[in-house]
Amino acid sequence: MASSIGNEKSVNPVLRISQLDALELNKALEQLVWSQFTSCFHGFKPGVLAHIEPEVKAFLWLLLWRFTIYSKNATVGQAILNIQYKNNLSQTEKYQPLSKHQKLWYLIFTVGGRWLEERCYDLFSNRQLQSVSKIKHYINFGAGLLKLCGLVNFLIFLQKGTFATLTERILGIRSVFCKPQSVRQVGFEYMNRELLWHGFAEFLIYLLPLINVQKLKLKICSWCFPIANLPNSDKTLATHYKVCSLCGEWPTMPHTIGCSHVFCYYCIKSNYLFDMYFTCPKCGSEVHSLQPLKYKIEMTELHV
């Protein structure tokens, strides 16, 4: 019954980007499974899995193969993207599931091939015998040849859009959509809003460093709380000099900029270094010269 339903399903070709996304999802899943598995051995002696790591990985990939390719004709990445494998060796254009031989050979080429590569590297890496070096040379040559064939296959895949990996081309299995892909009505209102706000944020990021916020703040304060210039008598200066015009506290090392107002040395120096066109927030006078206050004012006199 299942086979008859599968024969009635039509074949829908898969985009190249979807096939590549499925491969990347498969790699991400394998990394996730391996990281979760190794986290179970954090409390053990370091390197407890080092000697049997290829076998452990092969066992985990075998379990993934059993519950993905063997049972559903699709990897995890393909299942997420609504893709599955089709037996391309069949003469009909209708969907044909993979045969058991194709599934077993897929297991041998993927899981067995990676296990053999890792195990051979461990066996021959520390041995210097002449016979072993020849075997290692042949193995490296074969691995390089397979990578070259994989590169050629990938270039052909980019041109024709079928058989993303060399294993798929050798076994004659092709990626197809599980269900027909209907034409979707895509609205661009949300995308337009995102692009608009993104452009506005980029504009603000470019504009804000050019705005002198401190000077703007002082200008607004001077407009909201205007104070007329006071006569420069000793009594008036003594009364007026008891607070810093910037911080509003008792002036520490009081200095003047040429007007009748006083500032802490660090307040006026930091603002002047930040803005060379700094003006007094009280009267708007420009900085003519930064001079220490010449009047000796006692705190006891000012608090009276």
Side-chain angles (χ1 to χ4, degrees):
M1 183 68 180
S3 62
S4 62
I5 295 176
N7 292 335
E8 295 176 358
K9 294 165 61 177
S10 59
V11 175
N12 300 283
V14 181
L15 298 176
R16 296 171 178 84
I17 187 63
S18 298
Q19 300 183 54
L20 295 178
D21 287 341
L23 293 177
E24 292 298 324
L25 288 173
N26 293 335
K27 294 178 182 179
L29 174 68
E30 292 177 356
Q31 294 177 359
L32 179 62
V33 170
W34 179 246
S35 63
Q36 293 293 325
F37 181 80
T38 54
S39 64
C40 300
F41 295 87
H42 283 172
F44 291 82
K45 183 179 179 180
V48 66
L49 297 176
H51 299 291
I52 58 173
E53 181 176 338
E55 286 73 22
V56 174
K57 284 185 176 181
F59 177 73
L60 294 176
W61 308 158
L62 175 63
L63 292 179
L64 289 178
W65 170 85
R66 171 61 183 83
F67 295 103
T68 55
I69 296 294
Y70 187 80
S71 60
K72 298 181 180 179
N73 293 316
T75 63
V76 176
Q78 290 177 330
I80 294 175
L81 298 176
N82 192 29
I83 301 172
Q84 63 183 0
Y85 277 132
K86 169 188 177 295
N87 186 358
N88 203 53
L89 299 178
S90 60
Q91 301 299 325
T92 178
E93 287 296 328
K94 299 295 183 179
Y95 174 79
Q96 292 291 335
L98 302 182
S99 64
K100 289 186 177 180
H101 293 288
Q102 287 176 319
K103 295 177 181 179
L104 291 176
W105 279 111
Y106 185 92
L107 173 66
I108 294 173
F109 285 158
T110 55
V111 179
R114 285 190 291 179
W115 170 83
L116 183 63
E117 181 181 3
E118 294 180 4
R119 180 48 66 193
C120 289
Y121 178 80
D122 293 338
L123 289 176
F124 301 127
S125 59
N126 297 325
R127 303 192 179 185
Q128 303 296 332
L129 297 177
Q130 185 176 2
S131 59
V132 174
S133 62
K134 289 184 179 180
I135 297 175
K136 183 179 178 181
H137 175 71
Y138 291 142
I139 292 176
N140 291 335
F141 178 77
L145 185 60
L146 285 176
K147 291 181 180 179
L148 179 61
C149 294
L151 175 61
V152 175
N153 175 79
F154 184 73
L155 295 177
I156 298 175
F157 162 74
L158 293 179
Q159 182 180 9
K160 297 185 177 181
T162 56
F163 306 115
T165 63
L166 186 62
T167 302
E168 296 177 4
R169 186 173 297 276
I170 294 175
L171 299 180
I173 56 179
R174 185 160 62 95
S175 298
V176 295
F177 280 114
C178 302
K179 299 178 182 179
Q181 300 297 299
S182 59
V183 179
R184 295 181 296 174
Q185 297 288 337
V186 181
F188 295 97
E189 291 82 3
Y190 175 77
M191 184 179 297
N192 291 337
R193 288 199 302 269
E194 289 295 319
L195 291 175
L196 178 63
W197 282 111
H198 180 73
F200 182 68
E202 290 288 339
F203 176 73
L204 288 181
I205 292 174
Y206 171 77
L207 183 63
L208 286 179
L210 304 179
I211 300 177
N212 192 336
V213 182
Q214 182 68 20
K215 186 175 182 179
L216 183 62
K217 179 182 177 181
L218 296 176
K219 280 288 185 182
I220 295 175
C221 291
S222 64
W223 292 339
C224 296
F225 308 101
I227 298 179
N229 292 334
L230 299 176
N232 291 332
S233 63
D234 291 349
K235 185 177 179 180
T236 305
L237 290 175
T239 305
H240 192 58
Y241 285 172
K242 64 181 180 180
V243 292
C244 172
S245 298
L246 289 173
C247 65
E249 301 293 336
W250 176 265
T252 304
M253 300 174 61
H255 280 64
T256 61
I257 60 174
C259 64
S260 60
H261 301 96
V262 70
F263 307 88
C264 297
Y265 172 75
Y266 297 105
C267 293
I268 186 61
K269 190 67 175 180
S270 59
N271 280 272
Y272 183 65
L273 290 176
F274 180 77
D275 180 16
M276 61 181 302
Y277 300 104
F278 174 80
T279 57
C280 177
K282 300 295 184 180
C283 61
S285 300
E286 297 182 356
V287 180
H288 300 290
S289 62
L290 188 60
Q291 298 292 334
L293 187 64
K294 297 180 180 179
Y295 295 93
K296 296 182 179 180
I297 306 173
E298 298 293 339
M299 293 183 63
T300 56
E301 297 177 359
L302 296 177
H303 283 289
V304 175

